[in-house]
Amino acid sequence: MFEIATSLALLLVLAAFFAGLVDSIAGGGGLITVPALLLAGASPVEALATNKLQGTFGSATAAVAYARAGHVRPREQLGMAVVSALASAAGALVAHLIPVEVLRLAMPVILIGVALFFALKPGLSDDSRAARMRPATFTFTAVPMIAAYDGFFGPGTGSFFMMGFVLLAGYGVLKATAHTKFLNFASNFGSLMVFVFSGATWWAVGFAMAAAQIAGAALGAKLAVRVGARLIKPLLVIVSSLMAARLLWQALA
């Protein structure tokens, strides 16, 4: 039924549920699922391809949940989503040209910066503030840069979108989270369209994990809408710090 032993597949399903829960609130679900897939015997390409498959369903579920709660209007964000999908697909296509070792050393430093920003910046709440960048400028600068990064590497994409919306677009924490999920779905989908043709995707395992992602993402989005910045900020700090620690361990091991 699955590409691997059923017992391993069930453990991956459990990992996907928790990844969907965490990712819908603060991003970083790949911190859970990619290592789990690698431990289950997937090659790096198989792990990335399968992760994009199941992660697309999780981010879509979270985006729908936030839209239903009135925190994001997908039609108004459609242009950003198209840019995100195209940039992510382009990133996936040129992944082999990027010096991954450089990224592995640089990303922990950036993620630690993200964690410190959300931990120490006073006044971060669900209230919006003055934007520092026009929507069109944000769409064609910050969005494609972050989405392309998601296509060729990935860890911390949700955190980077969050920081962009808060710092540049002036969004409150909950609104930024809601808008991040729609763009994350688009970037996942764009890179997935490239990975589909790689022949490396574990389809049976991926769809089983996707079902768990949907359940976890729905629960996480509900919690985030109910609690807001009081839940999102500390979880974002924890997830960013864990991702930084994991990438540092990989780079220095």
Side-chain angles (χ1 to χ4, degrees):
M1 180 178 178
F2 296 111
E3 292 87 349
I4 54 176
T6 301
S7 58
L8 287 175
L10 292 176
L11 289 174
L12 289 175
V13 168
L14 182 62
F17 173 81
F18 286 108
L21 176 68
V22 171
D23 197 72
S24 64
I25 300 171
L31 175 72
I32 299 171
T33 50
V34 171
L37 284 160
L38 291 171
L39 287 172
S43 69
V45 175
E46 289 171 337
L48 290 174
T50 306
N51 183 61
K52 287 300 179 186
L53 171 63
Q54 57 95 39
T56 298
F57 284 87
S59 54
T61 301
V64 169
Y66 284 117
R68 285 179 174 173
H71 295 289
V72 61
R73 296 177 180 175
R75 287 187 180 182
E76 293 180 1
Q77 211 186 2
L78 188 58
M80 284 188 186
V82 171
V83 171
S84 180
L86 293 174
S88 180
L93 285 171
V94 302
H96 63 287
L97 302 176
I98 306 298
V100 175
E101 293 306 317
V102 174
L103 288 171
R104 283 179 176 165
L105 290 172
M107 283 305 107
V109 177
I110 296 173
L111 286 168
I112 290 170
V114 171
L116 290 173
F117 171 79
F118 282 99
L120 303 177
K121 173 76 172 174
L124 286 180
S125 66
D126 293 328
D127 298 325
S128 297
R129 55 190 58 79
R132 298 183 179 181
M133 187 177 283
R134 292 177 180 273
T137 307
F138 185 82
T139 298
F140 292 105
T141 56
V143 171
M145 287 175 61
I146 298 169
Y149 161 78
D150 189 31
F152 62 70
F153 196 54
T157 299
S159 300
F160 299 149
F161 272 132
M162 272 280 294
M163 198 167 186
F165 277 121
V166 171
L167 272 180
L168 303 175
Y171 289 5
V173 172
L174 179 56
K175 184 179 179 182
T177 302
H179 283 69
T180 289
K181 293 307 127 189
F182 193 39
L183 295 191
N184 225 162
F185 160 70
S187 66
N188 278 335
F189 182 79
S191 53
L192 175 63
M193 291 301 97
V194 174
F195 280 119
V196 160
F197 298 101
S198 69
T201 308
W202 287 359
W203 293 101
V205 168
F207 281 121
M209 292 177 74
Q213 270 268 359
I214 289 171
L219 177 59
K222 187 178 295 185
L223 288 171
V225 168
R226 183 174 300 173
V227 183
R230 289 182 292 118
L231 172 65
I232 297 169
K233 280 178 58 180
L235 193 55
L236 186 62
V237 171
I238 292 169
V239 170
S240 296
S241 300
L242 288 174
M243 280 192 289
R246 175 177 170 263
L247 289 171
L248 276 174
W249 179 79
Q250 277 186 326
L252 300 176

